[in-house]
Amino acid sequence: MSASIESTGASTRRVAGPSAPSNISRVPYMPGLDGMRAIAVVTVMIYHANTTWLKGGFLGVEVFFVISGYLITLLLISEHERDHSVNMKQFWVRRARRLLPALFVMLFLLTIWTALFERSTLGKLRGDIIAALAYGSNWYQVYTGQGYAAANDFAPLRHLWSLAVEEQFYLIWPIVMVVLLRVGSRGIANLSRWLVGAAIGITVLVALLYHQGPIGTPEVTPDAYWSIFGRNIAKADTLYLSTFTRAGGLLLGSAFAMVWRPVAIMRGPMRDRAPVLDGFGAAGLAVLGVMMWSVGFMGSEGADPLLFRGGFFLSAIATLAVIAATTHPLTVTSRALALPPLVWLGQRSYGLYLYHWPVYQLIRNIAGKQMKFHEFVIAMGITIVITELSFRYIETPISKGALGRWWKQVRESRDPGRRNAVLGGAFVGTALAIFGVTSLATAELKQNDVQISLEAGAESTCDVIADPTCSGGTTEVPVDTTPATTVDPLADPTQTVLDPTTTVETTTTTTIPAPIPMLALGDSVMLGAASKVAALGFTVDAVESRQFVDGVAVAETLKEQGRLGDVVLLHLGTNGSISAESMQRMMTALADVPRVIMLTNDVDREWTAGNNQLIYDIAANNANVQLVAWNDLNDLCVDNCFASDGFHMNANGSTFYAQVISDFMNQPI
């Protein structure tokens, strides 16, 4: 009897099969692949905790995609070679038994927790859970605009997008392979080139569709979105999350399985090429390390061009190099990645990935908030405990059929205590399920606290460029509107002519926008406090996701129109880095404004420190600039001043914000 190993996405299990000495495609147990999964899931968990620790850690998902494509295709080829057919029903049953139980348990526990402790977020969670059960989370996130980088919401299921991509692959790929395998398991190697070509085509398509530059709301950066049936769809989210644009890694892994079969390579000349493969493996790990350290997803200048212009493809190729070394039993790479701690983590990588993100959200409450190191340690401890319980008592028993045997024993048992315990547990579980489902179904759909404050603040703002009349009225000025006319005495003898060259001119009046005495120019931080700032006498022009350079354009336009008044209040820099060039342009535009009040920022982003230093320097070198160190002063606000993200303000914070500005206005500059 021979045995093969079935990839489960997190662990492996032996599948008995009939003796087939000629089955060169059979899949032996390769513990090094578990080691690869361990590294991949750890990098993802680090990235999800704090993007500044490992800005490209999300590429661990691409590693998973390549491994999945490789092993699933290898298993299908092996089954076809052994049985001369592929039992798709059994394949899908094995997938369901492996993946669904832990997912259902996680969704059940999360629903109960949210219904008890995060009830205001239940309405939004409803759509996420339905999408998760349908394994369509990636498309749901694209449609709703709640993509990978969206912040401010309690979003405990956002990580399920990648599991949705894999599950969709598991659904479609066996059907494709049944067609391809008609050429025979040995002849299929020739078809691998078409999969590589498709992966290259996807890479080119993503590069062409990619939008370079800062990304704000559709109103701020319309070119960063597609309008589909009147709905704005973010290009970056679509390219990152969609099944089609992320299929490259899966296809490359599948293509590699057609030409690189672990049993076959040990029967050919590659058996003695372990040192060469170790070189490939080391190079692949080095490339992945550099990519994960240096390539980000979303930064101050928008989506990273290195990622969307070949980054995914390069990561997948590097992963293939590591797989080549790992699947050769005589390489140092295969032994290094088979170390017990790595194997232990790799076998539980599905559970670690499944549970870590909800645990993170329960600790930090909202997406987009960077975790502190001690929070990460606590989250890892909780995640590992839950994962181990799930692996031992849910995933492994169900995948091995132990649950059915246990249930049969319970039914046949004559021990009343055991039966009563099971019935009691079933009653409690059913009651909780009814409570959770009812709460979820009847929950009101509510916006998060940040969005509520921004929508309220928008009522007190004014687009001073698009609607000049909202910013302080107009002024009437005389304008010559009629061309000069010469009086001809020959044509009209009744005219009294003093001078043949005399002309008659007519004038009228027109209105132009008046200067704005007090202008407040900002982004979403100011937008949330717009009503309080407007009460101080400011005309507030604050826009969500506004970049500093966009504020520069507004200031330059107002200067050109002669509409800058005595005071300009600036609070920009939340959404991206400020360049020295943009700051100089801003100061040039505001050079004639008597008082420029400039606030620093206090947002947990990689560019904040640099932005604030630039503001400090400008205030020190420009006599008309008054510095407000908001990053220090906001700590003086007490009694629940900020929204859940820690930097947008609620009503108390807005009042304090306006008071700080008022105090500085009363000081001499």
Side-chain angles (χ1 to χ4, degrees):
M1 297 290 289
S2 64
S4 66
I5 298 298
E6 177 180 355
S7 166
T8 61
S11 62
T12 55
R13 71 181 183 87
R14 296 188 176 274
V15 181
S19 178
S22 63
N23 186 356
I24 63 172
S25 302
R26 71 180 185 275
V27 190
Y29 176 51
M30 295 170 284
L33 292 181
D34 280 329
M36 289 185 66
R37 292 193 189 98
I39 294 173
V41 76
V42 168
T43 60
V44 171
M45 291 191 295
I46 292 173
Y47 172 79
H48 283 168
N50 193 314
T51 59
T52 64
W53 294 345
L54 192 63
K55 65 184 297 186
F58 59 87
L59 288 171
V61 171
E62 191 69 10
V63 175
F64 274 115
F65 286 167
V66 177
I67 294 175
S68 293
Y70 177 74
L71 280 173
I72 291 301
T73 303
L74 201 59
L75 285 165
L76 293 170
I77 293 174
S78 176
E79 182 179 350
H80 186 272
E81 187 171 288
R82 185 188 66 229
D83 301 334
H84 305 291
S85 65
V86 173
N87 190 328
M88 289 188 290
K89 178 181 177 181
Q90 285 301 313
F91 174 86
W92 289 323
V93 168
R94 290 195 302 268
R95 294 289 90 206
R97 289 174 62 178
R98 177 64 188 94
L99 300 174
L100 294 182
L103 174 68
F104 290 162
V105 169
M106 186 271 287
L107 294 177
F108 172 77
L109 295 176
L110 178 64
T111 301
I112 299 303
W113 173 279
T114 307
L116 292 173
F117 304 109
E118 298 282 351
R119 198 166 184 85
S120 63
T121 67
L122 267 177
K124 281 199 169 183
L125 184 65
R126 179 170 53 235
D128 289 322
I129 287 183
I130 294 173
L133 291 173
Y135 271 105
S137 294
N138 61 325
W139 293 109
Y140 178 76
Q141 290 173 24
V142 168
Y143 179 76
T144 59
Q146 292 298 307
Y148 209 49
N152 301 328
D153 273 319
F154 176 70
L157 298 178
R158 188 165 291 169
H159 66 313
L160 294 186
W161 75 269
S162 64
L163 298 183
V165 171
E166 289 209 40
E167 190 66 17
Q168 291 159 29
F169 171 74
Y170 297 151
L171 181 64
I172 297 172
W173 193 241
I175 301 174
V176 175
M177 284 299 296
V178 166
V179 176
L180 296 181
L181 283 167
R182 290 179 178 178
V183 302
S185 59
R186 288 176 172 81
I188 200 172
N190 294 325
L191 299 178
S192 62
R193 69 188 69 177
W194 296 102
L195 300 186
V196 174
I200 294 174
I202 290 171
T203 301
V204 173
L205 179 65
V206 169
L208 292 174
L209 295 177
Y210 159 75
H211 168 80
Q212 186 169 4
I215 300 174
T217 61
E219 294 76 20
V220 175
T221 56
D223 291 342
Y225 295 82
W226 288 302
S227 181
I228 301 177
F229 300 116
R231 192 175 191 87
N232 293 309
I233 305 296
K235 293 180 180 179
D237 286 344
T238 304
L239 297 178
Y240 189 91
L241 298 171
S242 82
T243 309
F244 305 120
T245 54
R246 293 306 301 272
L250 292 162
L251 292 175
L252 286 173
S254 300
F256 197 57
M258 295 175 178
V259 298
W260 190 266
R261 307 175 202 177
V263 173
I265 62 174
M266 295 305 292
R267 296 181 180 181
M270 294 304 298
R271 175 184 175 87
D272 301 321
R273 302 292 175 85
V276 175
L277 292 176
D278 274 326
F280 280 112
L285 288 172
V287 170
L288 287 172
V290 171
M291 294 280 289
M292 290 179 179
W293 183 260
S294 59
V295 178
F297 169 53
M298 192 70 67
S300 62
E301 298 303 318
D304 195 323
L306 293 177
L307 177 66
F308 288 93
R309 291 176 176 169
F312 292 123
F313 185 83
L314 181 58
S315 299
I317 294 297
T319 302
L320 291 180
V322 181
I323 291 176
T326 302
T327 53
H328 194 293
L330 302 181
T331 61
V332 175
T333 306
S334 65
R335 295 193 295 273
L337 291 176
L339 292 173
L342 292 177
V343 172
W344 189 90
L345 287 171
Q347 290 176 342
R348 292 156 178 79
S349 59
Y350 173 62
L352 289 170
Y353 185 85
L354 187 66
Y355 294 110
H356 86 280
W357 181 266
V359 172
Y360 283 10
Q361 296 311 96
L362 297 182
I363 291 176
R364 64 187 172 193
N365 195 43
I366 62 168
K369 186 177 181 180
Q370 310 286 28
M371 296 182 75
K372 303 296 189 295
F373 182 74
H374 72 277
E375 294 175 326
F376 173 64
V377 172
I378 293 172
M380 283 296 90
I382 296 172
T383 300
I384 289 173
V385 170
I386 296 174
T387 297
E388 181 63 14
L389 292 173
S390 176
F391 183 78
R392 288 194 180 193
Y393 301 111
I394 299 172
E395 300 167 52
T396 302
I398 292 178
S399 64
K400 292 184 176 181
L403 185 63
R405 294 192 296 271
W406 172 81
W407 179 244
K408 182 179 179 181
Q409 292 173 1
V410 170
R411 287 189 303 169
E412 296 176 352
S413 174
R414 297 183 180 181
D415 182 358
R418 183 178 185 182
R419 294 175 65 90
N420 290 338
V422 171
L423 290 174
F427 175 79
V428 172
T430 301
L432 288 174
I434 294 173
F435 166 72
V437 171
T438 302
S439 300
L440 194 68
T442 59
E444 180 184 356
L445 182 61
K446 296 181 179 179
Q447 297 288 350
N448 61 66
D449 54 351
V450 173
Q451 197 60 42
I452 291 173
S453 70
L454 297 185
E455 290 178 359
E459 299 177 1
S460 301
T461 63
C462 166
D463 187 335
V464 295
I465 303 300
D467 185 10
T469 61
C470 74
S471 60
T474 58
T475 300
E476 292 189 352
V477 295
V479 178
D480 176 13
T481 60
T482 304
T485 303
T486 301
V487 178
D488 184 354
L490 297 178
D492 188 356
T494 64
Q495 295 289 340
T496 301
V497 180
L498 299 178
D499 186 336
T501 62
T502 300
T503 61
V504 178
E505 297 181 356
T506 61
T507 60
T508 186
T509 60
T510 189
T511 59
I512 63 171
I516 307 169
M518 298 171 60
L519 169 67
L521 196 61
D523 51 36
S524 61
V525 175
M526 181 185 286
L527 176 59
S531 62
K532 301 296 183 181
V533 176
L536 298 177
F538 283 95
T539 296
V540 183
D541 187 333
V543 179
E544 185 180 358
S545 300
R546 173 179 272 163
Q547 298 281 340
F548 188 89
V549 69
D550 298 323
V552 172
V554 174
E556 289 176 336
T557 300
L558 293 176
K559 176 180 174 61
E560 182 181 344
Q561 296 174 349
R563 296 171 56 201
L564 292 173
D566 296 328
V567 181
V568 173
L569 173 68
L570 290 178
H571 197 173
L572 293 164
T574 300
N575 302 300
S577 60
I578 304 173
S579 69
E581 178 189 2
S582 294
M583 182 62 80
Q584 186 56 53
R585 287 173 54 196
M586 179 68 82
M587 290 299 98
T588 300
L590 303 180
D592 297 329
V593 176
R595 183 190 292 261
V596 177
I597 305 173
M598 190 173 292
L599 280 74
T600 59
N601 295 281
D602 189 17
V603 54
D604 189 11
R605 298 290 186 270
E606 60 187 36
W607 52 78
T608 299
N611 287 355
N612 285 346
Q613 186 58 55
L614 191 56
I615 294 171
Y616 293 143
D617 295 341
I618 287 296
N621 294 295
N622 290 269
N624 66 331
V625 176
Q626 186 175 17
L627 174 70
V628 179
W630 177 246
N631 56 318
D632 294 327
L633 293 171
N634 63 8
D635 292 335
L636 301 178
C637 186
V638 296
D639 193 21
N640 186 27
C641 297
F642 296 93
S644 52
D645 62 4
F647 60 92
H648 287 100
M649 293 161 283
N650 57 23
N652 291 337
S654 298
T655 300
F656 178 80
Y657 181 81
Q659 185 60 53
V660 167
I661 294 170
S662 177
D663 291 344
F664 273 83
M665 288 178 61
N666 292 327
Q667 298 176 9
I669 188 169

